[in-house]
Amino acid sequence: MTESSQDIPNSNSQPETIPSIPIEFVSEDEMALIEAAYAATRPTLSSSISSSICSPSSRFQTNTRTIQSIALLSKRALNGSGELDMEDSDRLKNAQKRIRVTQPFLHRFRRKRALWVTDITATEWCEKQMEFSLVSGKRKTSKAMKAGKARHVELEEEVVKKVKVRVESVEDSWALKFINFITCANQLLFEGLTREIPLVGFVEGIWLVGIIDELRMPETGSDRNPIIVDTKTRVRDSLPAEAQRRNGRLQLMCYKYLWDTLVADSFPSGQFFDFFSLNRNYILSEDIRERTANAGFPAKTLDDMIQYYINTCSMLPSSQDRLLLRYELQKDQSVIGEDQFAYDPEWLKNQIKINLELLLGEREASYTPEEERWKCRHCQFASVCPGNPNPNSPPSN
């Protein structure tokens, strides 16, 4: 949400305009979780929150503070993390003997929940790993993954600040997602750049959610279609293998598909309320109503909030057909290289179709191709997976 500009006198009694600073809302409980998670990734930095509003970024102001981003935690497709213990290992081995999917994974583990874009990319990376993750409910977070999340916190700091908001229901939680989308959309239109923009939409017969790392408006020319950008961090000073780059391309193509669908089509609000069992007439918390009123879109109910969401989407342009992956070195944030590629709608829809066949129980999970079995060296389930060529080798971090 972009706050109104105001004038204050300077030392010469001349008016000085303060630029509007976009803010993003997070719940108090979520802020506490973020603080703990961010402290784990950046032990050398203070993780305390001195106020409810976090400072703007170096793009607009150089003295930034450390903030915590709920968007990063939201990106995790699978809940929880941790090492695979003996009990889990035995359970997974026994499960492999009896798994003949009687109830689809989508219904067992994503019932009344949307799929995350990262569910799609995790399935494309390795279907068996995705199956193990769903069955065990655990997925280890490596040091590299933690570093990558911390870097995205820093990037988001550069353009937004956080405001804690009291959440009293699931309807309030959904309202926050729509508020943050409107906030980011306004920032994109007026300033040409936004980061960590949440998306909620209906594509290919499923509800899909995701968070775009960055949207940029072209700086020159008449083109006003934003480009979707994602920054990946690397431990080594080299570009990743083709399998990793392919997975990153799939992620960005999913974001484009979701964005373009939202701005081109009317959001199916009736289906939304029915699928997630939400009360469209639910009165939002007083804190949320106050914030939206101050922002210029006073929403009393969740249905009101969705109408503002739909109206905002209708004013936005579709994204460019060229997408951009950036690769940074973790130790100094230098750019290793960039991968700009073209959107391929047919390939994307085929990938989604293949993934949904598994998640809907139409077939069993496949092992990663033999030429990509090097992935097994980095998988926490390597010791129990029949597809691993070296089951006795410990996984690499």
Side-chain angles (χ1 to χ4, degrees):
M1 171 176 64
T2 304
E3 297 178 327
S4 301
S5 300
Q6 53 182 327
D7 294 332
I8 60 173
N10 60 18
S11 58
N12 296 320
S13 300
Q14 297 295 324
E16 179 184 17
T17 301
I18 297 179
S20 60
I21 301 173
I23 60 177
E24 181 180 356
F25 296 123
V26 298
S27 68
E28 292 179 340
D29 290 342
E30 288 170 332
M31 187 64 83
L33 289 173
I34 297 166
E35 181 179 359
Y38 190 62
T41 66
R42 296 291 296 276
T44 60
L45 297 178
S46 170
S47 61
S48 62
I49 301 176
S50 58
S51 66
S52 61
I53 300 180
C54 299
S55 63
S57 75
S58 60
R59 177 176 168 85
F60 308 109
Q61 180 175 316
T62 56
N63 56 337
T64 60
R65 302 178 197 161
T66 299
I67 65 173
Q68 289 72 38
S69 168
I70 188 59
L72 291 176
L73 286 183
S74 300
K75 281 186 175 181
R76 294 185 303 182
L78 302 170
N79 294 328
S81 63
E83 301 289 342
L84 186 66
D85 56 29
M86 288 300 295
E87 182 179 353
D88 290 330
S89 178
D90 291 341
R91 179 153 53 92
L92 287 171
K93 287 179 179 178
N94 292 333
Q96 286 304 295
K97 297 178 182 179
R98 64 175 184 272
I99 285 182
R100 294 294 182 271
V101 180
T102 56
Q103 187 179 22
F105 290 136
L106 195 62
H107 297 159
R108 292 169 61 191
F109 304 108
R110 297 291 185 268
R111 187 171 182 82
K112 294 296 181 182
R113 294 168 56 190
L115 271 183
W116 282 88
V117 168
T118 44
D119 285 327
I120 301 294
T121 57
T123 305
E124 191 276 337
W125 180 256
C126 179
E127 292 184 0
K128 291 302 291 187
Q129 185 184 73
M130 181 64 169
E131 178 185 80
F132 280 126
S133 298
L134 290 171
V135 172
S136 71
K138 291 185 176 183
R139 189 179 183 185
K140 180 182 176 182
T141 302
S142 67
K143 293 180 180 178
M145 293 167 65
K146 290 179 180 178
K149 291 177 181 179
R151 174 55 178 154
H152 281 89
V153 168
E154 293 176 348
L155 289 171
E156 189 182 12
E157 283 185 333
E158 294 179 358
V159 296
V160 297
K161 62 183 179 181
K162 304 294 183 184
V163 174
K164 290 189 293 185
V165 174
R166 183 178 299 278
V167 170
E168 300 175 357
S169 68
V170 65
E171 283 84 359
D172 284 344
S173 296
W174 278 107
L176 282 183
K177 292 180 175 64
F178 298 125
I179 291 171
N180 287 333
F181 175 88
I182 295 172
T183 299
C184 290
N186 288 334
Q187 186 181 29
L188 175 69
L189 292 174
F190 290 105
E191 299 176 7
L193 173 69
T194 191
R195 289 182 178 143
E196 305 299 327
I197 181 167
L199 302 179
V200 182
F202 189 74
V203 295
E204 298 299 314
I206 60 169
W207 284 98
L208 189 65
V209 297
I211 300 177
I212 298 177
D213 280 0
E214 183 176 313
L215 275 171
R216 301 177 187 170
M217 284 292 192
E219 296 180 359
T220 59
S222 59
D223 186 4
R224 299 303 292 166
N225 299 90
I227 181 171
I228 297 175
V229 182
D230 194 288
T231 297
K232 306 290 186 185
T233 62
R234 299 275 297 160
V235 175
R236 292 187 293 274
D237 187 9
S238 62
L239 291 173
E242 175 57 29
Q244 292 167 286
R245 296 171 72 175
R246 183 186 68 234
N247 199 255
R249 293 177 192 137
L250 175 61
Q251 181 180 356
L252 265 65
M253 288 189 198
C254 284
Y255 291 152
K256 174 177 170 58
Y257 187 23
L258 192 50
W259 173 273
D260 289 355
T261 299
L262 281 172
V263 303
D265 301 330
S266 179
F267 183 81
S269 58
Q271 290 178 251
F272 173 77
F273 289 118
D274 291 342
F275 181 84
F276 294 102
S277 299
L278 299 170
N279 179 2
R280 68 190 312 149
N281 298 314
Y282 174 84
I283 305 299
L284 301 173
S285 72
E286 182 179 354
D287 206 2
I288 291 180
R289 298 200 309 273
E290 179 182 351
R291 298 290 181 180
T292 57
N294 292 337
F297 50 97
K300 180 180 180 181
T301 66
L302 181 58
D303 189 49
D304 293 338
M305 193 68 255
I306 287 182
Q307 292 308 311
Y308 285 117
Y309 179 65
I310 293 173
N311 291 341
T312 300
C313 289
S314 69
M315 297 185 295
L316 296 168
S318 60
S319 59
Q320 291 189 23
D321 286 340
R322 304 292 297 180
L323 302 103
L324 179 63
L325 278 169
R326 298 178 66 255
Y327 294 97
E328 285 186 358
L329 188 62
Q330 283 183 3
K331 67 178 182 180
D332 60 9
Q333 298 169 4
S334 60
V335 178
I336 300 172
E338 294 186 342
D339 179 14
Q340 190 171 47
F341 57 95
Y343 178 58
D344 187 342
E346 295 305 318
W347 179 79
L348 170 66
K349 291 180 181 180
N350 185 59
Q351 290 298 315
I352 295 176
K353 176 178 177 293
I354 291 172
N355 290 352
L356 288 179
E357 287 174 355
L358 170 65
L359 297 174
L360 291 173
E362 296 175 6
R363 61 178 178 82
E364 295 185 8
S366 300
Y367 299 106
T368 192
E370 289 190 14
E371 64 271 18
E372 296 182 9
R373 294 287 170 89
W374 53 266
K375 296 176 182 178
C376 299
R377 299 197 301 268
H378 309 280
C379 179
Q380 70 183 101
F381 307 107
S383 62
V384 295
C385 181
N388 181 17
N390 300 297
N392 297 322
S393 299
S396 304
N397 289 330

